[in-house]
Amino acid sequence: MKSEFETEISDKNGTIQSLMGLIEEDKSSFDELQSAKTLELESANSAKQELEDELSSSQKSISELQRQIESLQSESSASSLDLCVKREQLQKRVGICTKVLMREFKKKQ
C-alpha cells in the first residue's frame, strides 16, 4: 500500500512538474508576445505622433496660405479701386482737353 501511495505521489509529482514546465513555457510565450505587442504599440504611437505633427504643420501652412490669399484679395481690391479712380480722373481730363480743343477749333473757324 505504501508503495502504491509512493507511486501515486511520484506520478502526481511528475504531472505537477510537467504542468509547471508547461506553465513556464506559456509564461515565456506570453512575455514574448507582450514584449512584441509593446513594441508594436510604441511604433504605432510614434507613427500617430508623426501624422499629428504633419497634420499640424499642414494646418499651419493652410492658415498661412489663407492669410496670403486674403491679403492678395485685399490688395487686388485696392488696386482695382485705384484703377477706377485713375480712369475717372483720366476721363475727366480727356473731357476737359476735348472741350478746350473744341473751343480752339471753333475759334479758328
Side-chain angles (χ1 to χ4, degrees), residues 6-95:
E6 286 176 349
T7 302
E8 190 177 330
I9 289 176
S10 177
D11 288 346
K12 288 187 179 184
N13 205 11
T15 302
I16 289 172
Q17 291 299 322
S18 178
L19 288 173
M20 287 178 70
L22 290 173
I23 288 171
E24 283 301 315
E25 286 178 21
D26 286 349
K27 184 180 180 300
S28 178
S29 294
F30 175 77
D31 288 345
E32 288 175 13
L33 181 60
Q34 188 176 22
S35 178
K37 288 297 179 183
T38 298
L39 289 174
E40 193 176 307
L41 180 61
E42 287 173 354
S43 177
N45 283 338
S46 178
K48 178 185 172 194
Q49 186 61 47
E50 287 176 16
L51 288 173
E52 286 174 346
D53 291 346
E54 188 176 326
L55 175 62
S56 176
S57 177
S58 294
Q59 288 172 332
K60 287 177 184 175
S61 294
I62 289 169
S63 293
E64 176 61 22
L65 288 172
Q66 286 174 332
R67 188 193 63 73
Q68 290 176 1
I69 287 169
E70 289 169 1
S71 176
L72 288 171
Q73 286 173 334
S74 192
E75 288 176 18
S76 176
S77 293
S79 294
S80 290
L81 183 60
D82 188 45
L83 285 174
C84 286
V85 168
K86 286 181 180 179
R87 188 179 93 214
E88 286 177 15
Q89 290 172 346
L90 285 172
Q91 284 176 337
K92 285 179 184 177
R93 285 183 186 168
V94 166

